[in-house]
């Protein structure tokens, strides 16, 4: 299982956000990021973690997940434009994205992006064999500990694996809303099909 969680997290991130490449940057320029000083419950952020790309965690609703799935057809139709735009979508593409979001009942593209990010967090933690949710941060920490203890791994490889796992831990957000797990699990097959 050496880098399985890191690969799984990366695979899910690529699948879910392949169409969103660069668009979060444009949206973030319009909306100031929340301060990272404390979590919603007032606790200090995890000292083991670096800033986590300003993912705004929300409590998902059944309706939001269904609308996200429905929006994928329209987003897939402009996937080549999104990929070509990279980190800087032009105003016309941004307007098209806003239109798609509104067509599917979202207030704006930023809201659709927030729903996508929250779905991604849960999908990254779903075990493909059992379907159970395993907190990705905890799984990565366990994997890092296992690598550290494994004397069969050459030191150079071990250092690289540990660096990659530490980076993955720092960029993988903890799940704030546990109730999102059941909603996403209920639509997992539909989500995967929509993102193919």
């Amino acid at each position: 299982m050496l880098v399985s969680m890191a690969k799984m997290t990366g695979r899910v991130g690529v699948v879910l956000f392949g169409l969103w490449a660069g668009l979060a940057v444009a949206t973030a320029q319009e909306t100031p990021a929340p301060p990272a000083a404390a979590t919603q419950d007032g606790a200090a952020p995890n000292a083991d973690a670096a800033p986590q790309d300003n993912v705004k965690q929300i409590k998902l609703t059944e309706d939001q997940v269904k609308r996200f799935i429905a929006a994928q057809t329209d987003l897939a139709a402009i996937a080549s434009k999104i990929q070509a735009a990279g980190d800087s979508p032009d105003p016309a593409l941004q307007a098209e994205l806003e239109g798609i979001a509104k067509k599917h009942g979202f207030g704006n593209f930023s809201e659709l992006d927030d729903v996508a990010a929250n779905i991604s967090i849960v999908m990254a933690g779903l075990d493909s064999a059992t379907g159970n949710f395993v907190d990705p941060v905890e799984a990565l920490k366990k994997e890092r500990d296992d690598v550290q203890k494994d004397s069969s791994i050459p030191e150079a490889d071990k250092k690289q694996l540990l660096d990659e796992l530490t980076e993955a831990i720092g960029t993988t957000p903890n799940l704030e809303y546990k109730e999102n797990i059941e909603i996403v699990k209920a639509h997992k097959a539909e989500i995967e099909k929509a993102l193919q």
Side-chain angles (χ1 to χ4, degrees):
M1 179 170 136
L2 286 180
V3 236
S4 59
M5 269 306 294
K7 286 181 181 176
M8 179 185 69
T9 302
R11 178 179 52 80
V12 171
V14 167
V15 169
L16 282 174
F17 294 106
L19 293 177
W20 311 83
L23 297 175
V25 171
T27 304
Q29 290 171 348
E30 297 169 12
T31 309
T39 60
Q40 277 190 324
D41 60 3
N46 181 349
D48 229 353
Q52 299 170 345
D53 296 330
N54 298 321
V55 172
K56 177 183 174 187
Q57 292 200 41
I58 59 174
K59 187 185 297 188
L60 293 170
T61 67
E62 190 94 16
D63 185 53
Q64 286 173 320
V65 174
K66 288 178 180 178
R67 289 184 286 127
F68 165 81
I69 293 166
Q72 297 315 300
T73 302
D74 290 333
L75 289 169
I78 63 167
S80 60
K81 289 183 192 178
I82 294 170
Q83 290 172 346
D87 288 344
S88 53
D90 61 38
L93 178 57
Q94 190 66 38
E96 198 169 353
L97 291 165
E98 294 292 335
I100 289 170
K102 288 179 181 174
K103 173 183 173 184
H104 293 282
F106 295 98
N108 53 39
F109 181 74
S110 181
E111 184 182 338
L112 173 56
D113 193 43
D114 289 342
V115 170
N118 282 269
I119 289 171
S120 176
I121 292 168
V122 175
M123 293 289 285
L126 291 178
D127 183 286
S128 58
T130 66
N132 294 330
F133 182 80
V134 178
D135 185 276
V137 174
E138 292 307 313
L140 287 166
K141 285 179 182 178
K142 182 186 179 323
E143 191 167 345
R144 182 179 63 184
D145 292 344
D146 291 346
V147 168
Q148 186 67 48
K149 294 173 189 171
D150 191 338
S151 59
S152 69
I153 303 172
E155 283 304 312
D157 293 343
K158 182 182 283 193
K159 182 183 179 333
Q160 181 180 353
L161 282 171
L162 291 172
D163 289 346
E164 289 173 3
L165 288 166
T166 299
E167 181 181 350
I169 290 166
T171 58
T172 302
N174 288 309
L175 180 65
E176 289 180 29
Y177 299 99
K178 304 290 185 201
E179 53 268 50
N180 288 353
I181 297 168
E182 292 309 314
I183 291 173
V184 172
K185 280 173 71 172
H187 296 282
K188 182 178 183 273
E190 296 166 81
I191 292 167
E192 289 174 341
K193 184 177 179 184
L195 293 169
Q196 288 178 349

